[in-house]
């Protein structure tokens, strides 16, 4: 199966999964904030997989709603992360997507994995977000902050056109499944399962 076909197949699976999960978990009453946040995130990241500038409208809206949702659950490292996501898209991602295109107008991406850069960025992010969460007495400080250290590196790499950012997103999403399962928010658990599937699709497409 060609790479493009694999990507489309994975995204269809992710979309069907998140829709089914959302419907099932809303049978006893709709959690609008979690539902909208989850769907916006998946749609935005699907556009990002295809290197589309449309990703920013969906993902930046998702970041604002995610800020509110995580604050309610006292995941303060995640609150800071949503501000980070918004800022890196505004000041790094959008400019990169505007200025780094090939002759066909497609955004240029780099499939080389830089392990040292990834490790350094994850470590710095973990330390920074761990301190932030500790100061505000958040929940699940170690796991939440470790996940965010990974996400800081993932976001930074993706916004610079690096395919290896998607590998970190897979790891980040798997940890988020545990975090939101602990919080009892199964809508968000379903969302992050779908995000992990989509992240793998992103790695395939950006590495090609």
């Amino acid at each position: 199966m060609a790479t493009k076909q694999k990507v489309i197949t994975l995204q269809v699976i992710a979309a069907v999964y998140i829709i089914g999960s959302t419907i099932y978990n809303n049978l006893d009453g709709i959690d609008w904030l979690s539902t909208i946040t989850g769907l916006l995130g998946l749609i935005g990241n699907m556009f990002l997989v295809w290197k589309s500038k449309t990703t920013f409208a969906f993902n930046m809206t998702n970041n604002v709603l995610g800020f509110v949702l995580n604050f309610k659950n006292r995941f303060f490292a995640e609150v800071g992360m949503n501000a980070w996501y918004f800022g890196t898209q505004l000041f790094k991602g959008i400019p990169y997507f505007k200025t780094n295109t090939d002759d066909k107008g497609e955004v240029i991406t780099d499939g080389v994995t830089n392990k040292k850069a990834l490790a350094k960025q994850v470590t710095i992010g973990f330390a920074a977000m761990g301190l932030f969460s500790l100061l505000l007495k958040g929940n699940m400080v170690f796991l939440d902050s470790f996940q965010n250290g990974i996400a800081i590196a993932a976001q930074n790499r993706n916004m610079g056109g690096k395919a290896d950012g998607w590998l970190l997103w897979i790891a980040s999403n798997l940890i988020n499944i545990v975090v939101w399962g602990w919080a009892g928010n199964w809508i968000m658990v379903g969302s992050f399962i779908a995000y992990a599937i989509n992240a793998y699709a992103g790695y395939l497409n950006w590495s090609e």
Side-chain angles (χ1 to χ4, degrees):
M1 185 184 294
T3 298
K4 300 296 184 186
Q5 292 176 313
K6 290 180 181 178
V7 170
I8 292 171
T9 300
L10 287 167
Q11 289 196 321
V12 169
I13 292 171
V16 170
Y17 184 88
I18 196 171
I19 291 172
S21 174
T22 299
I23 292 172
Y24 178 79
N25 286 295
N26 277 322
L27 290 177
D28 295 327
I30 298 178
D31 180 348
W32 286 107
L33 183 57
S34 295
T35 298
I36 294 172
T37 300
L39 290 174
L40 282 174
L42 181 62
I43 294 169
N45 284 317
M46 282 182 164
F47 279 116
L48 184 60
V49 165
W50 294 104
K51 311 174 189 179
S52 169
K53 297 179 180 69
T54 306
T55 182
F56 299 112
F58 285 96
N59 277 338
M60 293 172 84
T61 302
N62 168 269
N63 298 151
V64 174
L65 295 178
F67 186 98
V68 175
L69 181 62
N70 284 289
F71 191 86
K72 287 176 60 179
N73 284 278
R74 297 183 62 80
F75 293 146
F76 294 124
E78 283 285 343
V79 171
M81 283 306 299
N82 276 280
W84 163 260
Y85 296 150
F86 190 95
T88 50
Q89 288 179 91
L90 182 62
F91 297 111
K92 186 174 183 178
I94 292 175
Y96 183 89
F97 272 52
K98 284 183 177 180
T99 58
N100 293 273
T101 56
D102 59 21
D103 294 337
K104 297 179 180 178
E106 183 172 293
V107 175
I108 299 170
T109 53
D110 179 6
V112 177
T113 299
N114 187 332
K115 295 179 181 178
K116 289 184 179 180
L118 295 183
K120 180 180 179 180
Q121 291 173 32
V122 168
T123 301
I124 292 173
F126 171 54
M129 298 312 295
L131 178 61
F132 180 71
S133 192
L134 277 172
L135 288 173
L136 294 177
K137 299 180 180 179
N139 292 325
M140 297 186 74
V141 173
F142 179 85
L143 190 60
D144 188 34
S145 300
F146 180 59
Q147 182 276 132
N148 280 302
I150 295 172
I152 282 175
Q155 178 76 355
N156 190 52
R157 301 295 287 175
N158 272 170
M159 291 300 98
K162 306 296 185 182
D164 55 18
W166 288 109
L167 295 176
L168 293 179
W169 279 124
I170 294 172
S172 173
N173 290 326
L174 292 176
I175 295 173
N176 261 315
I177 291 168
V178 176
V179 171
W180 285 106
W182 177 85
N185 190 324
W186 301 108
I187 295 174
M188 293 304 292
V189 168
S191 296
F192 280 107
I193 290 173
Y195 293 170
I197 296 170
N198 188 65
Y200 178 58
Y203 179 71
L204 289 177
N205 200 42
W206 282 38
S207 297
E208 190 178 37

